[in-house]
Amino acid sequence: MSLHLELKKEYNRLNDTKKYDIIIERLKERGVELVDIAKITYDLQKPYVKDVTLEICLDHVDRVILKREVQHAVLVGIELDVLAEKKLLSEPLLSMLLGDYGLFGVDEVLAFSIVNVYGSIGFTNFGFVDKSKPGIIGRLDTEGKEEGKCNTFLDDIVGAIASAAASSIAHKYAQ
Amino acid sequence: MSLHLELKKEYNRLNDTKKYDIIIERLKERGVELVDIAKITYDLQKPYVKDVTLEICLDHVDRVILKREVQHAVLVGIELDVLAEKKLLSEPLLSMLLGDYGLFGVDEVLAFSIVNVYGSIGFTNFGFVDKSKPGIIGRLDTEGKEEGKCNTFLDDIVGAIASAAASSIAHKYAQ
Amino acid sequence: MSLHLELKKEYNRLNDTKKYDIIIERLKERGVELVDIAKITYDLQKPYVKDVTLEICLDHVDRVILKREVQHAVLVGIELDVLAEKKLLSEPLLSMLLGDYGLFGVDEVLAFSIVNVYGSIGFTNFGFVDKSKPGIIGRLDTEGKEEGKCNTFLDDIVGAIASAAASSIAHKYAQ
Amino acid sequence: MSLHLELKKEYNRLNDTKKYDIIIERLKERGVELVDIAKITYDLQKPYVKDVTLEICLDHVDRVILKREVQHAVLVGIELDVLAEKKLLSEPLLSMLLGDYGLFGVDEVLAFSIVNVYGSIGFTNFGFVDKSKPGIIGRLDTEGKEEGKCNTFLDDIVGAIASAAASSIAHKYAQ
């Protein structure tokens, strides 16, 4: 392979790692630790992969967040939540986001581009956690209902990352 | 509008109605009545649309099945289940279908083209029923585990139609 | 049907019509007239539906924009373009949008939720116009490269609406 | 990691490699060599990655076919084409497949689960090759119109693999 291609590849790798750090930081600022996401993944996969550990789940959450497709969806989603809180969005978008309007749908669309990175088997898990709202997802949902607070995208993003990590584990270990 | 276009439009309408009849028949042959699907839709929408009735749900299940995208996905899915039971598929596809292989994924892919017809808000409902397996979905899942029986596509198809009908109702009546 | 349900249905209908007016306005502010979109649809469908007219295409563009899923994707996409121009987005999102970063992908994800409303047959048309950039899409693409201007989402949105309208026509008249 | 998990991981890896061999064989039987697919990928990526070679493209086509999601979609699609030629499908599915019915859509749905494995940026390339029909895709399309021959799924599958490989290259080397 040419040196030129090698350099581009290396540049891209570094760039994704840098974005990974930014995303970890953004999630923290919004009250989400990776271990919170890994716990949901663990509960999803425990019935199917007996030997799975929280550590393995955390490793797969990491892999998901290293994917470019995921990074960009997360950046856009969190940005929109934050802009809604700062009232920097125009109407009628602002009201739909602050009210977590059930027919909005763009939050699910972004979430699906995340779930998708490990294939269609993640859809089921996403739908399940989005409805049953375990752990951090329930907390984000409740918090998002407070005056001036917006987690419209974030709760779906967290559910999507947890589900994608579950798919990643399933693809690796399930028979 | 020209007579030519009017005739084509009428032809397409009749063609879809004819396929609708075929699909109702196929579902019946595989043990599924539309009212079974409507019951799942009812349970999904009751918490959100207080005045919803089973009759309204049945009407929306009908609308879903009149959509061309849905009809084709249903025809392909049921065909593959039936061909698996008749052992007319080649390996390794045959074993994956007869064993309802968890990492197969094509069943979810087809289901999603069904759920999609009323937008992304249906994804959550699909994931939920696919995991909680209410009513007819649970029966199909159990039956599919019997020797020589294959419902790998059908249980996802039923869940997808029920979820799409729920989305259709939500889009019409929810605020 | 109960009066309660009838009222909700009417409310939703009015709400979508109101959003339709807002979207027409936003598109105009960004330099896009519906007839520009309809012209792309016309060129896409002319080879398949001989009697199609620009008027029919404009009618189907209208139908697409009356769909809630489409309205929300358009509102989010245009909002992000405008916020990028006003430098109200945080990094690294701002630079990716202003530079129309080829590996971003969220623009395609939103576009796909638009194309999807008339089924999977629209995917091909979307990919084609996104690459060949006919008419207004080419103009938006060129304009978006100017300093301080951002059409990262808009050119995909326009291509997606044109493709969805083409699918809508195909579903109605093609044999 | 426990020995149990290591064994499962190894089993899955071997299983995918075995399916890879089967898929290469099936594609050959239907007249498709991997290098035919790699040539399309090369033409798609050459304008963006100057140093790309046919060998690199072939390597990325290989990576795509090693993905489970892709393998299953390919197996289902080719199976349906072959069953149509053998007249082992029931009506109206048989006629839709033999006639490559333009409003069918399930071929695009399967193709999209393939394109998706390297993210949404592949959608555009897929739409483009599906419409411009370069190289082997054009040959499959023409051949599929012969009496008793069916390539309804295969031409979309080939276009999808070529596009996914192009995305894979773009993600690795593009800046």
Side-chain angles (χ1 to χ4, degrees):
Chain A
M1 197 180 297
S2 73
L3 178 63
H4 188 222
L5 280 187
E6 281 295 357
L7 286 175
K8 279 192 172 178
K9 190 174 150 186
E10 182 59 16
Y11 171 87
N12 273 332
R13 211 186 53 75
L14 286 175
N15 199 16
D16 290 346
T17 315
K18 205 177 128 193
K19 276 190 204 145
Y20 170 89
D21 292 336
I22 293 172
I23 281 162
I24 302 304
E25 198 50 43
R26 294 277 159 89
L27 286 170
K28 243 181 221 172
E29 287 166 14
R30 305 294 297 172
V32 179
E33 304 281 339
L34 294 200
V35 73
D36 298 326
I37 307 180
K39 277 178 191 162
I40 298 172
T41 304
Y42 179 83
D43 289 337
L44 284 170
Q45 280 311 107
K46 187 65 189 167
Y48 307 104
V49 183
K50 214 170 35 95
D51 298 352
V52 79
T53 62
L54 188 61
E55 202 191 338
I56 290 177
C57 292
L58 201 51
D59 173 45
H60 285 264
V61 166
D62 264 345
R63 290 176 199 213
V64 170
I65 299 178
L66 273 164
K67 293 245 172 191
R68 206 169 291 155
E69 189 91 359
V70 174
Q71 295 180 340
H72 299 164
V74 174
L75 287 174
V76 168
I78 291 182
E79 190 85 11
L80 287 166
D81 278 351
V82 170
L83 288 166
E85 291 183 1
K86 292 183 179 167
K87 309 256 189 311
L88 287 174
L89 300 177
S90 69
E91 289 292 358
L93 195 56
L94 180 59
S95 297
M96 284 195 283
L97 259 74
L98 285 178
D100 200 358
Y101 179 49
L103 302 177
F104 181 49
V106 181
D107 38 352
E108 275 90 6
V109 167
L110 276 194
F112 262 78
S113 73
I114 295 174
V115 171
N116 250 343
V117 294
Y118 288 104
S120 56
I121 62 163
F123 293 154
T124 300
N125 281 335
F126 173 71
F128 184 72
V129 299
D130 200 40
K131 216 161 168 97
S132 59
K133 303 188 191 306
I136 182 75
I137 300 180
R139 289 206 298 283
L140 292 171
D141 186 61
T142 307
E143 188 192 76
K145 291 190 168 79
E146 289 169 21
E147 185 67 29
K149 191 76 194 145
C150 180
N151 288 333
T152 295
F153 282 95
L154 187 58
D155 58 354
D156 289 319
I157 284 170
V158 167
I161 295 174
S163 303
S167 299
S168 173
I169 292 171
H171 274 298
K172 202 153 226 117
Y173 305 117
Q175 270 174 35
Chain B
M1 197 181 297
S2 72
L3 178 62
H4 188 221
L5 281 187
E6 280 296 356
L7 286 175
K8 278 193 173 176
K9 189 174 151 187
E10 182 60 16
Y11 170 86
N12 272 333
R13 212 186 51 75
L14 286 175
N15 198 15
D16 290 345
T17 315
K18 206 177 128 193
K19 274 190 206 146
Y20 170 89
D21 293 336
I22 292 172
I23 281 161
I24 303 305
E25 198 51 43
R26 293 277 158 89
L27 286 170
K28 243 180 223 174
E29 287 165 14
R30 305 294 296 170
V32 179
E33 303 282 338
L34 294 200
V35 73
D36 297 327
I37 307 181
K39 277 178 192 163
I40 298 172
T41 305
Y42 179 83
D43 288 338
L44 284 171
Q45 280 312 105
K46 188 65 188 168
Y48 307 103
V49 183
K50 212 170 38 93
D51 298 353
V52 79
T53 62
L54 188 61
E55 202 190 339
I56 290 177
C57 293
L58 201 50
D59 173 45
H60 285 264
V61 166
D62 265 344
R63 291 175 198 214
V64 171
I65 299 178
L66 274 164
K67 294 244 172 191
R68 205 168 293 152
E69 189 90 359
V70 174
Q71 294 180 341
H72 299 163
V74 173
L75 286 174
V76 168
I78 292 183
E79 191 84 11
L80 287 165
D81 278 352
V82 170
L83 288 166
E85 292 182 1
K86 291 184 180 166
K87 310 257 190 308
L88 287 174
L89 300 176
S90 68
E91 289 293 359
L93 195 56
L94 180 60
S95 296
M96 285 196 282
L97 259 74
L98 285 178
D100 200 357
Y101 180 48
L103 302 178
F104 181 48
V106 181
D107 38 353
E108 275 90 6
V109 167
L110 276 195
F112 262 78
S113 73
I114 295 174
V115 170
N116 249 344
V117 293
Y118 288 104
S120 57
I121 62 163
F123 293 154
T124 301
N125 281 334
F126 174 71
F128 183 72
V129 299
D130 200 41
K131 216 161 168 96
S132 59
K133 303 190 190 305
I136 182 75
I137 300 179
R139 289 207 299 282
L140 291 172
D141 186 60
T142 308
E143 188 192 75
K145 291 189 168 78
E146 290 169 22
E147 184 68 29
K149 192 74 193 147
C150 180
N151 288 333
T152 295
F153 282 95
L154 188 57
D155 57 354
D156 288 320
I157 284 170
V158 167
I161 295 174
S163 303
S167 298
S168 173
I169 292 171
H171 273 298
K172 202 154 226 118
Y173 304 118
Q175 268 173 35
Chain C
M1 199 180 295
S2 73
L3 178 63
H4 188 220
L5 280 186
E6 281 295 358
L7 286 174
K8 278 192 173 177
K9 188 173 149 186
E10 182 59 17
Y11 170 87
N12 272 333
R13 211 186 52 76
L14 286 174
N15 198 16
D16 290 345
T17 314
K18 206 178 127 193
K19 275 189 206 146
Y20 170 90
D21 293 336
I22 293 171
I23 281 162
I24 302 305
E25 199 50 44
R26 293 278 158 89
L27 286 170
K28 243 181 223 173
E29 287 165 14
R30 305 294 296 170
V32 179
E33 304 282 338
L34 294 201
V35 73
D36 298 326
I37 308 181
K39 277 177 192 162
I40 298 173
T41 304
Y42 179 82
D43 289 337
L44 285 171
Q45 280 312 107
K46 187 66 188 166
Y48 308 103
V49 182
K50 213 171 35 94
D51 298 351
V52 79
T53 62
L54 188 61
E55 203 192 339
I56 290 178
C57 292
L58 201 50
D59 173 44
H60 284 264
V61 166
D62 264 345
R63 290 176 199 214
V64 170
I65 298 178
L66 274 163
K67 293 246 173 190
R68 206 168 293 153
E69 190 90 0
V70 174
Q71 294 181 340
H72 298 163
V74 174
L75 288 174
V76 168
I78 292 183
E79 190 83 12
L80 287 165
D81 278 352
V82 170
L83 288 166
E85 291 183 1
K86 292 182 180 168
K87 309 254 190 310
L88 287 173
L89 300 177
S90 69
E91 289 292 0
L93 195 56
L94 180 59
S95 296
M96 284 196 282
L97 259 74
L98 285 178
D100 200 357
Y101 179 49
L103 302 177
F104 181 47
V106 181
D107 39 352
E108 275 90 5
V109 166
L110 276 195
F112 262 79
S113 73
I114 295 174
V115 171
N116 249 343
V117 294
Y118 289 103
S120 56
I121 60 163
F123 292 155
T124 300
N125 281 334
F126 173 71
F128 183 71
V129 299
D130 200 41
K131 215 159 169 98
S132 59
K133 302 189 191 305
I136 182 75
I137 300 180
R139 288 206 299 282
L140 291 171
D141 187 60
T142 307
E143 188 192 75
K145 291 189 168 79
E146 291 169 22
E147 184 67 29
K149 192 75 193 146
C150 180
N151 288 333
T152 295
F153 282 95
L154 188 58
D155 58 354
D156 288 320
I157 284 171
V158 167
I161 296 174
S163 303
S167 299
S168 174
I169 292 171
H171 274 297
K172 202 153 226 118
Y173 304 117
Q175 266 175 38
Chain D
M1 197 180 297
S2 73
L3 177 64
H4 188 220
L5 280 186
E6 281 295 358
L7 287 174
K8 278 192 172 178
K9 190 174 150 185
E10 182 58 18
Y11 170 86
N12 273 332
R13 211 186 51 77
L14 286 175
N15 199 14
D16 290 347
T17 314
K18 206 178 126 193
K19 275 189 204 145
Y20 170 90
D21 293 336
I22 293 172
I23 281 162
I24 302 305
E25 198 50 43
R26 293 278 158 89
L27 286 170
K28 243 181 222 173
E29 287 165 14
R30 305 294 296 171
V32 179
E33 303 281 339
L34 294 200
V35 73
D36 298 326
I37 308 181
K39 277 178 192 164
I40 299 173
T41 304
Y42 179 83
D43 289 337
L44 285 171
Q45 280 312 108
K46 187 66 188 166
Y48 308 103
V49 183
K50 214 172 33 95
D51 297 352
V52 78
T53 61
L54 188 61
E55 202 191 340
I56 290 178
C57 292
L58 201 51
D59 173 45
H60 284 265
V61 166
D62 264 344
R63 291 176 198 213
V64 170
I65 298 178
L66 273 163
K67 292 246 171 191
R68 206 168 293 154
E69 190 90 359
V70 174
Q71 295 181 340
H72 298 164
V74 173
L75 287 174
V76 168
I78 291 182
E79 190 85 11
L80 286 165
D81 277 352
V82 170
L83 288 166
E85 292 183 0
K86 292 183 181 168
K87 309 253 190 310
L88 286 174
L89 300 177
S90 69
E91 288 293 359
L93 195 57
L94 180 60
S95 297
M96 284 195 283
L97 258 73
L98 285 178
D100 200 356
Y101 179 50
L103 302 177
F104 181 48
V106 182
D107 38 354
E108 275 91 5
V109 167
L110 276 194
F112 262 78
S113 73
I114 295 174
V115 171
N116 250 342
V117 294
Y118 287 104
S120 55
I121 61 162
F123 293 155
T124 300
N125 281 335
F126 173 71
F128 183 72
V129 299
D130 200 40
K131 217 161 168 95
S132 59
K133 302 188 191 308
I136 182 76
I137 300 180
R139 289 207 299 282
L140 291 171
D141 186 60
T142 308
E143 187 193 76
K145 291 190 169 77
E146 290 169 22
E147 185 67 29
K149 192 76 192 143
C150 179
N151 288 334
T152 295
F153 281 95
L154 187 59
D155 57 354
D156 289 320
I157 285 171
V158 167
I161 295 174
S163 304
S167 299
S168 173
I169 292 171
H171 273 298
K172 200 151 227 119
Y173 304 117
Q175 268 175 38

